[in-house]
Amino acid sequence: VLGRMPGIQVDESGGIKYHGRAISKFYVEGLDLMGAMYGIASGSIKAEDVASVEVYERHQPIKSLRELVPSDNSAINLKLKQGAKGTWSGSGEAGLGYSPMLWKAGLTGMFFGRGFQTLDLYKGNNAGDRNGRMLKEQVRGLDAIGEMVRVFIPFSPSVSEDRYLDFTEHALSGNALVKMKEDVTFRSNVSLVTSDELTNGSARSVYNFADGDTVSYDESMALRRISRKLTFEGQVEKNSDKTFIRDNIRLNGLLDDEHGTVTDGEVSSAQVGSRRYVSIANDLYLTRRIGNRAVRFMSVTGYQDLPEMLEVNTAVQHVTQGMLSSSNRAHLTMTRNSWTYDPAIVLNFTVHSLNSELERKSGITDNELRNDRFASRTDFLLQNNIGWKPVYWFRLGVNIPVGAIAFVHDNRIVSDRNSEIHLVLNPSVYNELSFGQKLGLTSRVGYSSVFEDDRQWLPGYLMNTYRTIRRSDKYSQKSGRLTAMSSLKYTEVTRSLFMNFDVTMMKEARNFILSSDHTDGYITDNVVAYDNESSTLQLSLGISKGISAILGNVDIRLDYMTGTSPYMRQGVVMDSDSDILSGTVGFTSAPADYIDIKYDAPFLQGLSFQATGAYDISTLQSRTLMLKYDCYDYTTDTFAASVKTENEYSELWT
């Protein structure tokens, strides 16, 4: 139903976009059963049970903030037929095939009543259908810790993974919502996904350099990955005209085990990897409205732990990361006539630790092969949000955050601890125009200061893959970013016509540049102190038109990007000017109950031009090192590697 509605796009995970932007809520009979994982509902509820689909524009889910705090989000509510409400329903599927033996099975049960809703399912197969992607969180939460090590995988082909991956997957999910009072609900969601994937592939990588030289690698790979992911979410919410209270706790666990080999020429490297991830987070939202004023408090706090291991022949890399983060803000929202004043205090902090050890089976204790570091970041901001809406078709908003960001970096191996404080001023202006019920224009202009991600700081060497090793000294990387964007939407419901046109311009100034050098089979990546600028212009056009003649709709999506950005290869700074046009033209049709047609024709056309320039090598500072792990000698059982540091080679170990 949703996929055939003009103006709405549904991806393979069940995520929904309206006018090209992701929705913020998915309701069934006005209740939010699934939360962030609503893809299960959009992919499981039977089409014949749906009476109508309601789209909420400028949706404010908190009742006490309606007509007080504007929202630009959209939401969807499914209205069910009378026969589908207050009764249990379900569906099942089973299939067998030969290759040499394929199977798939599924069972879904659901109940939607006025005070109780549940949706439970099991789906399994060994035919390459990734049913577990329905359990993807469509609404973003806290940033997850990034992986440090991985079993190497060649580039994936540009087709759906269903066409080239063989895997067995089981997905189990149970979801329930109880409406205890008129405005109080309790919700729980639990899911488990297990998969066993087997991948065989090959890739050729070709590097082109400014002097005309090329270097290519031919690699073949075999990989088996066994993954288990468990997710639990429990939430209690009170949403009345005066008070809003929501407390949400989330638990996540992940077990990944990988085994594989990579052959580069005549050198074969065995790989064994493992990953154990666990996280717990709590989201707390409080709102109290008193007349034309509202007090709001929001807090999102969580802890994550991620131990990883990668074993390659006689080398073993152990890494453990821990991160505690908390995002807190308090608002006092006031309105008077056509003015809204919304001051806020923001306090965010992140504490991140990294411990690692790179060793042979006989053991290596050199400090250069270990990491023991601690980093913290604290943001304190005072936000001044001022809104003005003199008439119903015009709204203007100004936000002026001012404050400070404090960093602490501690390299515990060498007892090197330092701190720094940056003052920030990130102003932005927002404007909205409504030309009747059909045409709307929104614009935003803002400036922001962007600081480095401390999780990339590596005082000691760390093996990322079977062929790469990296080290990144502490370096204050920052940039200033000016962004201007505008969006024009046109909606003609009676003619089933939806259009949106978006323009985004961005200009960024940085104090660093990424560099890559290739010498004697080794790859060296650097972060170099170098002042530079880049600019980007993006244009997007989306058209969705329902056509009764085909009992479906036609969708057109066009994207154009042009920009310039410098980069460094083989010690040469080059300005890259790129122009890329991409898009999709397709249609969906259901001329009969037993016929469902979907056609998509994507295309991509890109042009890129480079111009070389010169620089003074005395001003450059190498920060990150990477080398190729293809030097294992099976006859002597030795493992040798070299690392390049500013045109000098030194033996790391033998």
Side-chain angles (χ1 to χ4, degrees):
V1 172
L2 294 172
R4 290 196 293 265
M5 292 181 62
I8 295 178
Q9 298 87 42
V10 183
D11 62 26
E12 294 179 340
S13 67
I16 301 171
K17 291 183 178 180
Y18 174 68
H19 268 304
R21 291 182 175 83
I23 65 171
S24 60
K25 289 284 186 179
F26 184 89
Y27 300 105
V28 180
E29 287 294 319
L31 297 177
D32 182 14
L33 169 64
M34 303 306 306
M37 295 187 294
Y38 65 78
I40 301 176
S42 64
S44 301
I45 296 176
K46 293 182 290 185
E48 56 266 26
D49 290 339
V50 178
S52 63
V53 177
E54 298 177 339
V55 179
Y56 302 149
E57 294 184 333
R58 300 182 179 87
H59 176 60
Q60 174 56 267
I62 301 176
K63 296 179 181 178
S64 57
L65 297 181
R66 290 174 183 173
E67 300 181 357
L68 184 64
V69 178
S71 172
D72 299 318
N73 295 322
S74 300
I76 284 181
N77 179 44
L78 297 187
K79 301 288 289 184
L80 302 180
K81 295 178 180 178
Q82 288 298 325
K85 292 187 289 186
T87 60
W88 284 92
S89 64
S91 61
E93 61 176 350
L96 291 174
Y98 176 77
S99 181
M101 184 59 157
L102 298 174
W103 64 270
K104 68 186 308 183
L107 183 64
T108 303
M110 62 191 74
F111 180 92
F112 297 102
R114 297 184 60 184
F116 174 72
Q117 292 186 354
T118 184
L119 194 160
D120 310 288
L121 65 83
Y122 163 78
K123 289 184 179 291
N125 75 96
N126 71 341
D129 293 337
R130 194 178 291 280
N131 298 307
R133 61 189 168 202
M134 293 191 304
L135 302 174
K136 172 185 175 182
E137 292 189 0
Q138 306 291 346
V139 181
R140 183 179 176 181
L142 283 175
D143 291 337
I145 298 179
E147 301 171 1
M148 286 289 188
V149 301
R150 60 186 176 89
V151 171
F152 182 76
I153 303 174
F155 293 108
S156 300
S158 57
V159 296
S160 172
E161 63 181 19
D162 298 348
R163 304 302 181 192
Y164 66 88
L165 279 184
D166 291 334
F167 58 86
T168 300
E169 184 183 77
H170 302 273
L172 182 67
S173 179
N175 310 274
L177 182 146
V178 179
K179 192 172 183 180
M180 295 178 286
K181 294 182 180 180
E182 182 61 27
D183 52 11
V184 178
T185 59
F186 174 79
R187 171 169 61 86
S188 66
N189 309 88
V190 60
S191 62
L192 174 65
V193 179
T194 67
S195 64
D196 187 347
E197 302 179 15
L198 177 62
T199 303
N200 292 278
S202 61
R204 166 171 289 184
S205 304
V206 180
Y207 296 85
N208 299 279
F209 303 110
D211 57 6
D213 291 341
T214 60
V215 176
S216 63
Y217 293 104
D218 291 287
E219 296 171 309
S220 60
M221 180 271 291
L223 171 68
R224 183 181 182 185
R225 176 187 291 120
I226 300 175
S227 178
R228 291 136 292 182
K229 182 178 181 181
L230 176 66
T231 302
F232 168 79
E233 182 174 341
Q235 174 181 292
V236 59
E237 177 180 294
K238 179 180 180 179
N239 192 0
S240 67
D241 294 334
K242 298 294 183 181
T243 304
F244 177 80
I245 302 175
R246 182 173 69 201
D247 191 43
N248 182 299
I249 186 169
R250 290 174 284 123
L251 301 173
N252 289 281
L254 174 68
L255 302 178
D256 269 357
D257 292 289
E258 300 173 320
H259 302 267
T261 59
V262 171
T263 302
D264 180 3
E266 298 180 355
V267 179
S268 180
S269 298
Q271 304 177 85
V272 177
S274 67
R275 186 171 296 108
R276 305 289 185 261
Y277 173 77
V278 62
S279 71
I280 180 172
N282 186 77
D283 304 349
L284 177 63
Y285 295 82
L286 304 173
T287 299
R288 178 64 178 174
R289 181 164 180 171
I290 306 172
N292 60 352
R293 294 178 175 85
V295 179
R296 295 183 286 156
F297 175 75
M298 291 156 279
S299 177
V300 181
T301 303
Y303 176 76
Q304 305 172 66
D305 185 74
L306 177 59
E308 300 175 275
M309 185 274 293
L310 176 62
E311 181 177 355
V312 180
N313 295 328
T314 60
V316 182
Q317 176 73 71
H318 292 278
V319 184
T320 299
Q321 296 182 80
M323 188 167 73
L324 174 66
S325 57
S326 181
S327 176
N328 308 274
R329 61 175 58 223
H331 291 255
L332 174 60
T333 306
M334 299 174 287
T335 63
R336 185 177 178 85
N337 298 327
S338 59
W339 292 88
T340 300
Y341 182 45
D342 184 25
I345 299 176
V346 179
L347 178 62
N348 303 329
F349 71 87
T350 301
V351 177
H352 182 234
S353 63
L354 170 67
N355 289 273
S356 73
E357 184 173 2
L358 177 59
E359 60 181 12
R360 292 182 63 191
K361 292 184 178 179
S362 58
I364 295 177
T365 60
D366 189 343
N367 286 345
E368 290 290 291
L369 304 181
R370 293 191 292 120
N371 283 287
D372 185 1
R373 67 117 169 133
F374 165 91
S376 70
R377 169 174 173 163
T378 303
D379 298 52
F380 178 77
L381 299 173
L382 297 176
Q383 291 188 342
N384 293 277
N385 298 281
I386 302 174
W388 182 46
K389 190 174 182 180
V391 289
Y392 74 93
W393 51 267
F394 176 81
R395 179 158 63 98
L396 179 67
V398 178
N399 184 20
I400 308 176
V402 295
I405 300 178
F407 294 93
V408 175
H409 307 96
D410 188 3
N411 184 350
R412 295 170 174 172
I413 291 181
V414 296
S415 299
D416 180 17
R417 182 182 178 92
N418 61 81
S419 60
E420 55 188 76
I421 298 179
H422 300 275
L423 300 179
V424 295
L425 174 63
N426 299 329
S428 63
V429 178
Y430 174 84
N431 175 255
E432 179 181 310
L433 292 172
S434 297
F435 304 96
Q437 298 294 323
K438 300 178 180 179
L439 189 63
L441 174 68
T442 58
S443 304
R444 184 184 299 274
V445 178
Y447 174 84
S448 59
S449 298
V450 182
F451 297 92
E452 65 175 323
D453 185 347
D454 291 306
R455 284 170 276 180
Q456 302 302 315
W457 171 41
L458 304 173
Y461 291 104
L462 190 148
M463 182 174 65
N464 296 102
T465 70
Y466 86 102
R467 71 176 187 180
T468 62
I469 190 171
R470 185 162 68 96
R471 178 181 180 181
S472 178
D473 294 334
K474 178 68 191 70
Y475 176 54
S476 182
Q477 304 168 18
K478 59 183 179 180
S479 60
R481 184 178 302 164
L482 179 65
T483 305
M485 60 183 66
S486 184
S487 177
L488 181 67
K489 294 197 304 182
Y490 178 80
T491 304
E492 179 62 87
V493 178
T494 57
R495 297 183 180 180
S496 299
L497 176 62
F498 295 79
M499 300 176 60
N500 65 278
F501 180 68
D502 300 330
V503 180
T504 302
M505 294 180 290
M506 185 175 67
K507 190 173 184 64
E508 186 171 10
R510 295 178 292 265
N511 69 345
F512 66 95
I513 191 172
L514 302 179
S515 173
S516 179
D517 298 316
H518 190 286
T519 306
D520 298 332
Y522 293 93
I523 299 175
T524 306
D525 280 2
N526 308 307
V527 178
V528 177
Y530 185 82
D531 293 335
N532 63 95
E533 294 183 353
S534 65
S535 60
T536 304
L537 171 64
Q538 293 181 320
L539 306 175
S540 298
L541 173 64
I543 302 175
S544 184
K545 178 69 171 71
I547 302 177
S548 58
I550 63 172
L551 296 179
N553 58 281
V554 175
D555 293 287
I556 300 174
R557 181 76 184 184
L558 299 176
D559 296 284
Y560 173 72
M561 188 277 291
T562 180
T564 177
S565 179
Y567 64 97
M568 186 181 295
R569 296 292 185 270
Q570 296 298 101
V572 178
V573 176
M574 294 179 282
D575 289 321
S576 172
D577 298 320
S578 301
D579 294 271
I580 299 175
L581 176 65
S582 61
T584 301
V585 178
F587 71 88
T588 57
S589 177
D593 291 341
Y594 50 87
I595 298 178
D596 191 3
I597 303 172
K598 182 176 181 179
Y599 176 79
D600 290 300
F603 64 89
L604 172 67
Q605 179 66 46
L607 298 174
S608 183
F609 305 92
Q610 288 83 32
T612 62
Y615 64 92
D616 182 2
I617 194 170
S618 64
T619 65
L620 304 181
Q621 304 173 32
S622 297
R623 298 294 178 181
T624 308
L625 303 173
M626 185 177 291
L627 64 86
K628 193 166 196 262
Y629 264 86
D630 58 1
C631 307
Y632 182 71
D633 189 338
Y634 290 95
T635 59
T636 60
D637 192 30
T638 60
F639 191 82
S642 299
V643 63
K644 181 183 178 183
T645 59
E646 295 188 358
N647 299 324
E648 294 182 358
Y649 287 89
S650 62
E651 189 172 62
L652 185 59
W653 73 79
T654 58

